[in-house]
Structures are given as C-alpha cells and as structure tokens.
C-alpha cells in the first residue's frame, strides 16, 4: 500500500527511547479510506514507536512495537497518547518487518524476543498478526501484550505464531471493571479460557494501584481463576507509577490519580502472596 508514503510526518523516527515519549497526530492526515484498508489488510499499521532493550515485556531482552489505538480508558493508563490510532506513525508492514529484522540475531542470542504492546494491539489485529508471523518466520520468540477484549479476532491458526500472551487482568468485579476501564471484562476472561483450552502460555499482568486495585478479595478471585486455568506460567504484579501523569496533563485529560502514590513493597508482596496461594508464580 502506498498509504501516505510521502507525508512529512513519517520522518518521525520509529525508534523511541521509551514509550513515555508523548507522540500525537502522527497519522492524522492519513485518509479514512487508507485507514480502513489498513485495518482490513494489515498491510499498514499505526505505531507509537519501537523500543529496544526491554526486560519487562516478556522473557529475556525484548524489542517492543507499541501500537496506537485502544478502546479502553483505564484510570491508571500511563500512555493515553496511544488511545487514538491517528496519533500513531503510519508504518507499512514491510518497514516494520525490516526494523525488527535488524535485531533478529541479537534477540536469539539473548534468548529474548519481540513483543507487540500498546495501546491495544488487537485494535489492529491483522497488522499485529502479520508482524507475529514475520517474527515467527525469523525464529524469534513472540509475545502479545493485550487486554484480551478482541481476542476472538485471532484465529486458531494465527495463535500459533504467538509464543506467549501477556494478559492484562485489571480487576475481577464487573462493575468495578467498568468503572476502572470503561469496558466489560467478560471477553478478557473468555480469551484466557480459550488460550487455556489451546494450552497456549499466559503471563498475567496485574497493575496494583493503592486505593483502586488493592482489594484482596477481588485479587483472590483473579488468583483463583488464573490458578485454575493451568496455562498461567507467572503473574507480574506491576506497581502503579506516575510516569504517565504528564501525558494526561498535556492531552488535557481528566486525571483522577493525581495524588495516588506507588504501592509499598509490603503491599506488592502481600498481593504476590495472594496469587501464590493459588499455586501461581508471582513477582
Ligand atoms: S488497556 Fe492499556 S492502553 Fe488501553 S487504556 Fe488500559 S492501560 Fe491504557
């Protein structure tokens, strides 16, 4: 696809030092017909950036493609500039694959891999799947970091190109989940069950926010659910931080967690213990 190939905004480097770079409007001028075509074919995607050297987005050292576009509105989201697809850089699948290819040997040597995160990668599921297939063909381990809401978009055959799913489970109680994210959690849980039935490995990610997601009863229900699946290899308890606060402010968004502090080490450990009681490895 020739999509906007000459647009000057495409000169923005795909690589970023971290996903905490504020990036907006980089795909704003892509015509609607091209956006639709991109979503239908996966020949072009909208990316916030590529980052290298991550040690927290799957096993080993990772190259991460951060996609733009998310239909959730988590109160603690630290990258709200990735909510809107038009904020992302329009990138052809050829360019994205070429970028990944630069790191293929290093990733294999370091037992690392390639992660697609976001935003929500499955907003652009055809593009994400094409990237996974390309990485898979290079012999690179692949991970999908997702809230799971659009999990049904990925076919059984396509799941085979995803080595690991990093599944974000935000909270258990459906009403609380809607208040926290704006969306239902039933599709996320259904995706988890489907992955379990297919014996596809999951790492659960749980963002711990004092006063918001620290209800031990609720966490216990997630732990019971995850422990019963049989395919959850580990749980990462991710302490809330304020690194994304400036983005909320610069985007003019109403940030409700202005004065929320990071959880103490004791609280993180307490939550890990709840997951461990269900037979899970938690860190
Ligand atoms: S699902 Fe992720 S990207 Fe989307 S709003 Fe929530 S934290 Fe942000």
């Amino acid at each position: 696809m020739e999509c906007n190939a000459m647009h000057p905004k495409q000169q923005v480097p795909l690589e970023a030092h971290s996903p905490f770079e504020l990036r907006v409007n980089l795909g704003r001028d892509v015509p609607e017909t091209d956006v639709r075509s991109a979503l239908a074919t996966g020949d072009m995607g909208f990316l916030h950036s590529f980052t290298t050297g991550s040690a927290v987005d799957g096993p080993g050292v990772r190259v991460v493609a951060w996609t733009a576009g998310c239909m959730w509105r988590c109160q603690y989201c630290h990258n709200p500039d990735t909510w809107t697809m038009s904020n992302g850089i329009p990138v052809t699948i050829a360019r994205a694959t070429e970028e990944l290819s630069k790191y293929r040997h290093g990733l294999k040597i370091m037992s690392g891999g390639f992660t697609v995160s976001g935003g929500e990668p499955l907003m652009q599921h055809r593009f994400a799947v094409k990237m996974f297939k390309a990485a898979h063909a290079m012999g690179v381990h692949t991970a999908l970091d997702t809230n799971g809401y659009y999990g049904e978009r990925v076919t059984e055959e396509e799941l085979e190109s995803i080595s690991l799913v990093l599944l974000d489970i935000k909270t258990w109680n459906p009403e609380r989940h809607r208040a926290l994210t704006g969306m239902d959690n039933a599709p996320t849980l259904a995706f988890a069950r489907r992955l379990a039935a297919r014996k596809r490995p999951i790492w659960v990610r749980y963002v711990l926010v004092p006063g918001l997601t620290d209800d031990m009863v609720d966490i216990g229900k997630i732990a019971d659910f995850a422990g019963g699946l049989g395919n959850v290899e580990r749980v990462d308890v991710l302490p809330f931080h304020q690194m994304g606060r400036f983005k909320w402010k610069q985007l003019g968004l109403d940030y409700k967690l202005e004065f929320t502090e990071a959880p103490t080490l004791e609280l993180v450990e307490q939550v890990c213990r709840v997951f461990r009681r269900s037979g899970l490895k938690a860190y």
Side-chain angles (χ1 to χ4, degrees), residues 16 24 32 49 69 115 128 132 136 146 200 206 256 263:
V24 293
E32 181 64 29
S49 58
T115 300
F132 284 132
H136 200 60
T146 179
R200 307 298 301 170
Y206 186 77
K256 294 194 166 49

Side-chain angles (χ1 to χ4, degrees), residues 70 72-74 76-79 82-83 118-120 147 170:
C70 183
W72 290 21
R73 294 293 177 262
C74 300
Y76 57 62
C77 183
H78 54 228
N79 285 317
T82 65
W83 288 352
E120 170 47 53
N147 62 35
K170 312 284 187 183

Side-chain angles (χ1 to χ4, degrees), residues 4 9 18 23 41 52 66 75 98 107 143 146 177 181 185 193 197 204 212 215 237 240 257 265 278:
N4 233 29
K9 297 286 187 190
S18 87
R23 293 187 165 191
T41 63
T52 57
W66 303 92
Q75 289 181 30
E98 190 186 322
L107 289 175
T146 179
H177 193 275
T181 70
N185 59 359
R193 290 188 192 96
V204 166
L212 194 63
D215 182 317
V237 177
F240 169 74
L257 306 185
L265 286 178
S278 293

